[in-house]
Amino acid sequence: MGKRTIIPFGPQHPVLPEPVHLDLVIEDEKVVEAIPSIGFIHRGLEKLVEKKEYPEMVYVIERICGICSFGHGWGYCAAAEGAMGVEIPDRAEFLRTIWHELSRVHSHLLWLGLLADGFGFESLFNHCWRVRETILDIFEETTGGRVIFSVCKVGGVRKDVDADTLKRIADTLENIKAEIKTLCDVFLEDVSVKNRLVGVGYLSKQDAIDLCTVGPMARASGINQDLRYNGHGKYLEVGFTPCVEEQGDCYARCKVRIDEIFESIGIIQRCIEAIPEGAIDVPVKGKFTGEFITRMEQPRGEAVYYAKAFDPGKETNYLERMRVRTPTNMNIPAMVKTLQGCDLADVPMLVLTIDPCISCTER
Amino acid sequence: MAVFKMAKVVLNRLFQKPATLMYPVVPREWTERTRGHIDIDVDQCIKCGICARKCPTNAITVDRDASTWEIQRMQCIQCGCCAEVCPKKCLSMAPEYTTPNTIKVVDKFDIPVKEKPAPKAAPADGAASGEDGLKCNAEECVYCGLCAKTCPVGAITVDRGEKKWEVDKDACVQCGACVDKCPKKCLSL
Amino acid sequence: MSEKKYAIQDIQNIAASELLERVRKLKEDGYRLAQACAMNREYGQDLLYSFDKDHILLNLKVKVNEGEEVESITGEYWPAFIYENEMHDLFGIKFLHNALDYNGNFFVTAEPTPWNPKK
């Protein structure tokens, strides 16, 4: 048995994408055990419900994370609307679905860029982000912000998008599909990339079920779990197919996310064809009542949102408790399991493969 | 054995113009809806203070005695909440971002003092004024008249001698200033 | 298949002593742990555990008095260590037989149990 050393990895490290700390127990270049440690950017945002009334709380919740920002805003609004029993108009639901799927495309392009940066392929990283700029321009044109949209509110959405702009969005997405396909071919076919991804970080289906993994991490190990089936948004109306792979290694997770980009572009185009005319919001007045728990399929996996008002008779404009459980929170045990037995050089790959978003995890 | 897959992309981009902009020499083009900064039309402002109350980051301060409206530019998160709730629609969102600076910029605007409009003849209804809008709890009210003095649009009439409290529902902008001022906490929106 | 599965709100109130038994049964039935959180009440805390099967949530609300110790479910669901350490660091709830216990060092906070301050 070789000598064991403990190497601290993070939160500051040139290759690490997120501020997570890992204590790696190394035995001759192989990682034997990994102990995670988070808490470096805990802001306690959930406690701000005591200070901000429920219509203003959405601005706090959507700033939990920059990449999954719209998902959090939608989740909070859905939980608040469910608790108060508010039905929002169809057009608002379609617009929210379109923005969320655009969020998914931009998040996966961002992740592909970071993955390329993780194994040293700088030019591929920059090209992925260049293509992502087209999506950010769409966001700025329709909502006013590139990263934080502030367009979801309790009761609907705040801005409408006219038919010409929607048609232009559909055409733009059709045009960038060819560019995305060329970049994704590099990920999936190039021999130097495949050497870094195939066979690395294997997670079997039984392990994925025991560790309660969510999102593309679970779908790459053969579990058909996609929260878009639970009826939120307009996914079931326009139809979609979840992307599932069987191999369970880094290559499979990369392939799942690439397939999801093209699937999302298809969903957006179908939504644009099916969107009805109508109002985009309903007025919501009065104190906050009720209790509701709901879930969203974010780019990284399943996110749980729970909103609770004060007991009946003591209701106010403030929530009593708001809980956001983000997907990375659930995938950290899976990351720890895949790290056991890997090479030291593969550690950044494996940390990136769960698509970590530590600012979501710690709120 | 697929090698040099990236070569096609690199060669294509070699003969195209760069994707980046020579900022700040070449200025950025904003879109119509870009949320850059807040502009105020001082002639319309009635200093009701709803924007200051609703601002999620408390970036706006409304001083009614000094008649000023100030905004801390670096605290503002450009959400547009104030522009939506302003009853006179004097706040609007303009596309240019605040220029980066080494000090925290605070912009102060002087609101021209206007004549308060004379309170209109109140409707026949007594203290109760329907489901929506301002309500006064007649048992608690002492008819001190503070709410009428605080009201920026002069919508409340209080008669101490006759023990009457009335609100003009058309003039009331539901800013909530009277609710905060009432010493007996008998007003509610 | 356009039922609104997310609208199904199934929240069951149970006592802290029944928690481990219920969780064992849920694990046998094939449920997956979704989340666990805590909230402050007058008598102490309420813990909310959510389990998912076929995209429908089942929630267990556990009433915990101030200072009472709760059985950890890491024996059945190992990933629960994240939530239990977080609840311990922020609210001060003690869990027995936690498989991966950080002893208060999971979230390094400026004051102990900031969301449930000891008066």
Side-chain angles (χ1 to χ4, degrees), chain A residues 44-330:
Chain A
L45 291 180
E46 290 175 1
K47 201 151 159 47
L48 272 178
V49 282
E50 296 167 10
K51 296 268 166 65
K52 308 255 170 248
E53 301 184 2
Y54 73 90
E56 275 78 64
M57 192 65 196
V58 73
Y59 301 113
V60 174
I61 297 285
E62 70 181 0
R63 279 161 175 79
I64 288 181
C65 172
I67 316 171
C68 349
S69 154
F70 188 77
H72 288 311
W74 187 7
Y76 170 78
C77 292
E81 283 154 11
M84 296 180 71
V86 172
E87 276 285 329
I88 66 167
D90 263 348
R91 190 174 170 93
E93 200 74 61
F94 268 99
L95 283 173
R96 282 180 176 178
T97 310
I98 291 176
W99 274 315
H100 197 212
E101 288 307 302
L102 281 170
S103 248
R104 193 186 307 273
V105 173
H106 113 79
S107 169
H108 284 327
L109 280 172
L110 187 150
W111 178 80
L112 283 172
L114 287 182
L115 186 71
D117 191 38
F119 50 69
F121 205 151
E122 307 277 343
S123 58
L124 184 56
F125 159 48
N126 276 307
H127 280 293
C128 284
W129 281 40
R130 176 183 53 81
V131 174
R132 179 181 161 245
E133 286 293 313
T134 332
I135 313 277
L136 295 183
D137 284 340
I138 295 178
F139 283 140
E140 189 170 9
E141 212 185 310
T142 48
T143 69
R146 280 163 46 104
V147 174
I148 305 281
F149 310 153
S150 293
V151 84
C152 231
K153 70 169 186 186
V154 180
V157 295
R158 289 165 77 194
K159 292 212 156 66
D160 203 354
V161 186
D162 60 358
D164 288 332
T165 317
L166 285 174
K167 177 96 188 22
R168 228 167 353 102
I169 293 176
D171 290 337
T172 315
L173 289 173
E174 192 61 41
N175 291 342
I176 65 171
K177 258 164 111 162
E179 262 202 271
I180 300 181
K181 182 100 188 24
T182 332
L183 292 173
C184 293
D185 272 344
V186 179
F187 277 104
L188 298 177
E189 311 282 328
D190 197 284
V191 65
S192 53
V193 176
K194 274 172 100 160
N195 271 334
R196 289 302 300 261
L197 293 181
V198 175
V200 171
Y202 175 66
L203 192 69
S204 68
K205 186 165 176 181
Q206 188 52 45
D207 273 339
I209 297 177
D210 285 337
L211 294 168
C212 310
T213 35
V214 293
M217 187 95 179
R219 289 199 277 280
S221 294
I223 306 177
N224 186 359
Q225 176 206 83
D226 194 326
L227 257 303
R228 290 179 274 187
Y229 276 127
N230 81 349
H232 71 267
K234 290 292 176 190
Y235 297 105
L236 292 175
E237 259 192 51
V238 300
F240 75 100
T241 37
C243 316
V244 180
E245 297 284 322
E246 301 292 332
Q247 291 95 341
D249 58 3
C250 281
Y251 183 81
R253 291 173 211 134
C254 188
K255 188 148 193 326
V256 164
R257 291 189 176 103
I258 288 176
D259 286 340
E260 278 188 1
I261 295 182
F262 292 106
E263 183 66 38
S264 288
I265 294 184
I267 295 178
I268 298 171
Q269 287 168 335
R270 291 198 287 278
C271 274
I272 290 180
E273 275 167 38
I275 188 168
E277 299 294 326
I280 55 169
D281 64 353
V282 291
V284 175
K285 282 199 175 17
K287 303 197 194 303
F288 190 78
T289 54
E291 179 182 9
F292 201 77
I293 183 164
T294 181
R295 297 183 287 171
M296 293 277 135
E297 177 72 17
Q298 285 217 0
R300 283 154 183 74
E302 163 211 46
V304 184
Y305 299 91
Y306 171 65
K308 182 174 183 318
F310 285 98
D311 289 329
K314 297 191 222 150
E315 292 126 355
T316 59
N317 276 341
Y318 297 86
L319 275 81
E320 187 183 358
R321 179 80 164 103
M322 173 72 208
R323 162 72 170 175
V324 180
R325 195 283 272 147
T326 49
T328 312
N329 218 342
M330 204 74 230

Side-chain angles (χ1 to χ4, degrees), chain B residues 76-185:
Chain B
C76 168
I77 55 172
Q78 298 102 25
C79 61
C81 207
C82 53
E84 267 184 22
V85 296
C86 175
K88 294 291 176 192
K89 298 283 169 256
C90 57
L91 292 170
S92 59
M93 200 90 208
E96 293 80 27
Y97 277 103
T98 316
T99 17
N101 213 326
T102 47
I103 51 167
K104 291 200 173 172
V105 178
V106 177
D107 275 342
K108 215 171 187 152
F109 295 91
D110 286 316
I111 315 284
V113 180
K114 290 184 277 287
E115 267 302 313
K116 250 168 89 163
K120 299 203 238 181
D125 235 347
S129 31
E131 297 89 43
D132 235 5
L134 192 62
K135 282 198 279 288
C136 175
N137 187 347
E139 285 123 37
E140 302 280 328
C141 182
V142 291
Y143 305 98
C144 61
L146 273 171
C147 51
K149 285 204 207 60
T150 311
C151 177
V153 288
I156 305 182
T157 334
V158 176
D159 196 329
R160 213 167 187 186
E162 313 226 333
K163 299 241 185 290
K164 268 202 319 183
W165 181 96
E166 277 142 3
V167 63
D168 179 359
K169 285 197 71 191
D170 298 314
C172 171
V173 291
Q174 307 198 0
C175 67
C178 53
V179 177
D180 293 335
K181 197 77 178 182
C182 176
K184 294 288 171 191
K185 301 278 171 254

Side-chain angles (χ1 to χ4, degrees), chain B residues 6-40:
Chain B
M6 194 64 183
K8 184 170 132 189
V9 177
V10 173
L11 285 173
N12 262 340
R13 298 295 309 182
L14 203 59
F15 300 108
Q16 288 180 21
K17 63 179 209 319
T20 47
L21 203 59
M22 283 295 282
Y23 181 85
V25 174
V26 174
R28 191 176 186 293
E29 277 172 27
W30 308 103
T31 68
E32 203 188 307
R33 285 191 183 182
T34 303
R35 300 191 312 264
H37 69 274
I38 293 281
D39 271 338
I40 180 170

Side-chain angles (χ1 to χ4, degrees), chain A residues 43 64-65 68 72 298 326 328 357-363:
Chain A
R43 294 162 283 169
I64 288 181
C65 172
C68 349
H72 288 311
Q298 285 217 0
T326 49
T328 312
C357 187
I358 300 293
S359 64
C360 279
T361 311
E362 300 184 23
R363 292 154 274 120

